[in-house]
Amino acid sequence: MCGRYYVDVKNDYLSFINNFDEYKYDENFNVTPQSLTPCIIDNNLVTAKWGYFPDWLKKQSNPRPLFNTRYESLLEKKTFTSAFKNSRCFIPISGWYEWKEEDGIKQPYYFTSKSNQLLFAAGLYWNRSNGDIESSIITREAVGDLRIVHNRSPLLVDEKIRELWVSDISSEEIYLEILDYSYSDIEFYKVDRAVSNPRNNNESLIKKYEEVPF
């Protein structure tokens, strides 16, 4: 996790956002790394590029943007420690996709809220000299049944942790408090393998896959 997700910001779960009425973003059923996506910074929605591209990474052959940041690395790796201290954000997601190998085929699954709520993943952001914003979703070890499909999941936060995430307390204190989300409201199911193609982007991607009987 998490290399693909779905987001729709047109709902009632963003009442705390200052600029919600002015922000425009089209529903996206297949968000991929380097896509422009909604990001919440200081209770405002901004559009950020999903994936951080530090200068040292660009010098490598076939570099890939850092679209995920492991929770375990937040206090350890210099690439993330400064952003964790000073540039924390939220990434709104309506659901996300994971793949599991089954019978030699990578089968996609869709994870979403049973109550159809918008979810918030803890994230980091970087302001670039050209005015662009780059973001990364923080991931953690999966819990409960989610581990059946994949061993990582986005680090989701509830309202209490959202307030803590943007508070002035030290990053070390925040680090110890941000794993409280229970994930009990998260369900998952198989979806069509069409989601594996980034060019596919429609509502059918999040519908439960039903095998056709022969």
Side-chain angles (χ1 to χ4, degrees), residues 16-18 40-45 86 88-90 125 166:
F16 66 96
I17 295 298
N18 299 322
I40 300 172
I41 300 174
D42 296 330
N43 282 356
N44 286 294
L45 277 162
N86 302 302
R88 298 185 295 270
C89 65
F90 303 114
Y125 72 94
V166 296

Side-chain angles (χ1 to χ4, degrees), residues 2-206:
C2 155
R4 301 281 182 82
Y5 66 95
Y6 158 52
V7 60
D8 178 16
V9 294
K10 301 180 182 69
N11 58 60
D12 297 330
Y13 299 106
L14 291 166
S15 59
F16 66 96
I17 295 298
N18 299 322
N19 66 333
F20 179 71
D21 291 336
E22 294 80 36
Y23 186 78
K24 304 299 180 185
Y25 184 84
D26 292 333
E27 187 176 17
N28 192 335
F29 292 94
N30 203 352
V31 179
T32 60
Q34 294 290 274
S35 296
L36 295 175
T37 61
C39 178
I40 300 172
I41 300 174
D42 296 330
N43 282 356
N44 286 294
L45 277 162
V46 301
T47 299
K49 185 176 289 185
W50 183 30
Y52 174 45
F53 240 137
D55 292 337
W56 60 263
L57 182 61
K58 294 178 181 178
K59 298 174 183 177
Q60 297 184 3
S61 60
N62 300 318
R64 298 178 62 194
L66 305 176
F67 53 86
N68 284 166
T69 299
R70 292 172 63 89
Y71 163 79
E72 297 85 351
S73 300
L74 291 174
L75 296 177
E76 298 175 355
K77 294 190 177 181
K78 292 182 180 179
T79 302
F80 307 118
T81 52
S82 178
F84 180 42
K85 183 178 180 180
N86 302 302
S87 302
R88 298 185 295 270
C89 65
F90 303 114
I91 311 295
I93 60 177
S94 303
W96 74 95
Y97 305 97
E98 299 288 3
W99 281 257
K100 180 183 180 182
E101 187 163 330
E102 298 178 349
D103 299 323
I105 297 173
K106 288 187 176 180
Q107 172 63 50
Y109 284 76
Y110 179 63
F111 294 72
T112 190
S113 165
K114 296 175 184 177
S115 52
N116 201 33
Q117 293 192 45
L118 185 67
L119 304 169
F120 298 92
L124 305 176
Y125 72 94
W126 293 262
N127 291 310
R128 309 301 288 186
S129 58
N130 64 357
D132 289 347
I133 301 173
E134 296 177 346
S135 66
S136 179
I137 292 176
I138 298 172
T139 68
R140 58 167 294 172
E141 288 189 2
V143 299
D145 290 343
L146 275 65
R147 292 175 293 187
I148 295 172
V149 178
H150 199 275
N151 64 349
R152 305 290 296 182
S153 69
L155 199 168
L156 300 180
V157 294
D158 57 19
E159 184 175 356
K160 175 184 175 182
I161 300 302
R162 287 207 310 267
E163 294 176 359
L164 179 71
W165 189 244
V166 296
S167 70
D168 293 328
I169 70 172
S170 71
S171 53
E172 289 81 4
E173 290 179 88
I174 291 174
Y175 184 83
L176 299 174
E177 300 290 338
I178 57 176
L179 295 181
D180 284 351
Y181 195 90
S182 71
Y183 293 81
S184 59
D185 187 47
I186 302 299
E187 64 175 350
F188 58 92
Y189 49 81
K190 291 183 181 181
V191 291
D192 195 282
R193 293 201 299 274
V195 71
S196 300
N197 187 336
R199 290 176 294 183
N200 294 326
N201 198 323
N202 55 68
E203 187 176 5
S204 68
L205 299 183
I206 64 172

